[in-house]
Amino acid sequence: MSTSSGKTNRRAIVSFVLSLTSAVLVIGNLVGVGGFFDDYFEVSAFLAICLSIAGAVVGRKAMRQIKETGERGSGIARVGVIIGWVFTAVVVLAIAFTLAVAASWLLTPGW
């Protein structure tokens, strides 16, 4: 391992920003803030899941790179990974719940 440099790993920062952006999109969709979220629900949900997975993957790569180079930012990378996977799970569960409700509604007699 090389000596610790004073700079923060860029992948860690990118991971954090991607994961945080996905969190904002997910929370905006779930709360129903209005505006962008109401008009483009499908797009923002798809974008949220893509960003959260990307944030988790980039964060994991950043953690490996930090271990090799000794750069700063391991905490930021770890938070990016955690937020990324948590909001991936939230989106997947929300989609599963929506599909279950739609299926039960369509399978109700008299529909």
Side-chain angles (χ1 to χ4, degrees):
M1 224 192 305
S2 61
T3 60
S4 177
S5 62
K7 66 179 186 168
T8 304
N9 185 286
R10 288 185 183 195
R11 284 185 181 177
I13 296 169
V14 169
S15 167
F16 182 73
V17 170
L18 288 172
S19 295
L20 200 60
T21 304
S22 74
V24 168
L25 287 172
V26 170
I27 292 169
N29 280 325
L30 292 178
V31 173
V33 174
F36 174 80
F37 299 109
D38 286 345
D39 295 339
Y40 299 102
F41 175 77
E42 296 84 8
V43 174
S44 62
F46 177 74
L47 186 60
I49 199 165
C50 290
L51 290 176
S52 61
I53 291 171
V57 170
V58 171
R60 186 69 185 134
K61 288 182 179 184
M63 290 169 65
R64 286 189 195 129
Q65 190 176 33
I66 289 168
K67 191 179 281 187
E68 292 174 4
T69 63
E71 290 177 310
R72 295 176 9 190
S74 63
I76 295 171
R78 189 174 297 115
V79 169
V81 170
I82 292 169
I83 291 173
W85 287 127
V86 164
F87 280 98
T88 298
V90 168
V91 171
V92 168
L93 289 173
I95 290 171
F97 177 75
T98 303
L99 291 176
V101 168
S104 69
W105 182 59
L106 290 174
L107 296 175
T108 301
W111 161 241

